Amino acid sequence: MCKFLISLLLIIISVSARSQQIEVPKLIDMLNWTPKRIDTTLKKDGYLLMQKDIDSTSSLYQYSWFDKQVDGKAAVRSFIFADARVRDMKSRLITYRTYIKEEYQEIAAWLLANNYQSTAKFDFKEAQHTLYSNGTFTIRVKVITTALKDGRKFIAYELEMGK
């Protein structure tokens, strides 16, 4: 009975962590959403607004999601979107970051399954950038390694896209 309850709890936690993941198609759609719609959607999914900076020509919103897993590890994600406006021109940049390797692998699989191909690679020592394009849209994928003073390393997986 105890094993059954533990298994059920692990399934619920893993489904909960996965449900907070933002899929690539939704990220692409968010490039056209209003800030209010993005805010409402992210807050509904458990993301917290950490920073909001707005001035006459730009705005920046940063959200974070955190969950401590049963095994003591943490699941962390962040979502940033910035809007800029100059006269009649508008642009939006979205950055989605996860520290979950399996989620990164799912993102990479989605890119391949949806005809995205690597078009350029850049190595900046602690960060490797790869541009993926399907011919009409480009997504930058970053793998960022951060070394702590105690020797531990954290790897972040980041998607960057804009219009």
Side-chain angles (χ1 to χ4, degrees):
M1 179 68 168
C2 186
K3 287 181 182 180
F4 173 75
L5 289 175
I6 291 172
S7 297
L8 182 62
L9 182 61
L10 287 173
I11 291 170
I12 291 170
I13 289 171
S14 66
V15 167
S16 172
R18 177 159 167 69
S19 69
Q20 308 317 321
Q21 161 183 345
I22 304 173
E23 304 288 339
V24 179
K26 190 173 191 176
L27 289 168
I28 294 169
D29 286 345
M30 287 174 148
L31 288 169
N32 297 308
W33 289 11
T34 64
K36 184 173 183 171
R37 182 175 178 194
I38 292 172
D39 182 71
T40 301
T41 300
L42 292 174
K43 286 180 177 175
K44 187 181 96 187
D45 288 342
Y47 284 78
L48 300 173
L49 178 61
M50 306 301 286
Q51 180 181 355
K52 178 179 177 180
D53 290 323
I54 300 174
D55 63 30
S56 62
T57 60
S58 65
S59 60
L60 177 118
Y61 298 82
Q62 179 182 354
Y63 297 83
S64 293
W65 182 89
F66 176 83
D67 185 44
K68 189 169 183 174
Q69 305 292 312
V70 173
D71 61 5
K73 294 182 180 179
V76 179
R77 296 182 178 97
S78 71
F79 177 93
I80 298 170
F81 78 95
D83 290 331
R85 183 182 320 252
V86 177
R87 294 186 197 104
D88 294 337
M89 297 182 295
K90 295 189 306 185
S91 68
R92 172 168 288 162
L93 176 69
I94 288 180
T95 303
Y96 177 70
R97 178 182 280 199
T98 182
Y99 292 85
I100 304 166
K101 185 175 184 175
E102 293 79 14
E103 185 175 350
Y104 165 70
Q105 292 168 336
E106 290 173 15
I107 290 167
W110 185 91
L111 291 170
L112 292 173
N114 286 276
N115 204 30
Y116 281 81
Q117 298 176 2
S118 172
T119 58
K121 291 186 179 202
F122 309 95
D123 191 348
F124 299 106
K125 292 185 183 174
E126 72 281 342
Q128 288 73 46
H129 297 211
T130 306
L131 297 180
Y132 290 92
S133 178
N134 66 359
T136 58
F137 190 73
T138 300
I139 298 173
R140 179 181 298 262
V141 177
K142 302 177 188 177
V143 178
I144 305 163
T145 304
T146 304
L148 301 177
K149 291 180 182 179
D150 66 3
R152 290 185 295 159
K153 292 182 181 179
F154 290 97
I155 300 176
Y157 309 96
E158 193 171 279
L159 271 77
E160 192 176 86
M161 59 192 74
K163 72 166 195 154

